[in-house]
Amino acid sequence: MTRILTAGDLVEDFSLPDETGTVRSLTELLADGPVVLFFYPAALTGGCTAEACHFRDLAAEFAAVGARPVGISGDSVDRQQEFTGKHVLGMPLLSDVDGSVRERFGVKRGFSLAPTKRVTFVIGQDRTVWEVVRSELRMNTHADRALEVLRARGA
């Protein structure tokens, strides 16, 4: 089991397809500012919908600090497309079907119906992790804490 990345760690670049099937790299996503990468267990489930919709509802606040939220789960591109379409999420949702990125960040769960832990990483443009937010049950904590960190850093 890979250890979970922590503040100060450098994130390796990676590329995954988004909800449209377009392959996006972390470097490309970071081009315009910090990224708030939120891992979630499964699209279209109650908790994940609440979490993603909270990020969506705070879109203007993330834009104001020059950051963008990006969701990531093991769901297929089609499932991510359905998720964003149903809830008009307006942010990239990456499809990590083989779990390789989940593993690299250390958020892979053992044997489970939900193989991805609910963890959010605030990543600076130099690919350094600024903050790690971990909460399986308090969905709003992820976006709220990420915004606090971004504001404190003057992002």
Side-chain angles (χ1 to χ4, degrees):
M1 186 76 169
T2 313
R3 77 169 179 86
I4 192 165
L5 291 182
T6 57
D9 286 346
L10 191 63
V11 179
E12 285 179 50
D13 196 20
F14 64 83
S15 296
L16 288 172
D18 67 12
E19 74 286 354
T20 68
T22 303
V23 175
R24 310 284 285 269
S25 71
L26 179 61
T27 299
E28 170 201 333
L29 292 166
L30 286 165
D32 297 324
V35 164
V36 178
L37 189 65
F38 65 101
F39 285 86
Y40 56 94
L44 298 164
T45 57
C48 297
T49 297
E51 179 184 17
C53 287
H54 190 57
F55 272 105
R56 176 201 64 202
D57 295 346
L58 294 173
E61 294 179 57
F62 280 105
V65 293
R68 73 187 309 180
V70 177
I72 181 169
S73 73
D75 293 290
S76 68
V77 168
D78 289 345
R79 186 101 172 138
Q80 299 287 38
Q81 191 168 40
E82 182 184 352
F83 190 29
T84 196
K86 184 172 183 181
H87 299 287
V88 195
L89 296 176
M91 67 190 83
L93 296 182
L94 305 179
S95 182
D96 183 26
V97 174
D98 71 359
S100 60
V101 174
R102 167 181 65 218
E103 184 114 15
R104 198 181 302 172
F105 276 79
V107 298
K108 181 177 189 249
R109 225 187 282 277
F111 297 98
S112 173
L113 293 172
T116 305
K117 294 178 184 174
R118 187 182 312 282
V119 183
T120 297
F121 297 87
V122 181
I123 304 170
Q125 283 187 278
D126 62 357
R127 297 198 335 257
T128 299
V129 176
W130 288 355
E131 179 78 18
V132 181
V133 183
R134 302 173 77 162
S135 178
E136 292 287 340
L137 302 175
R138 295 198 333 266
M139 306 312 159
N140 289 358
T141 299
H142 295 267
D144 294 349
R145 178 68 189 135
L147 269 174
E148 281 175 29
V149 169
L150 290 160
R151 287 177 179 139
R153 292 187 77 109

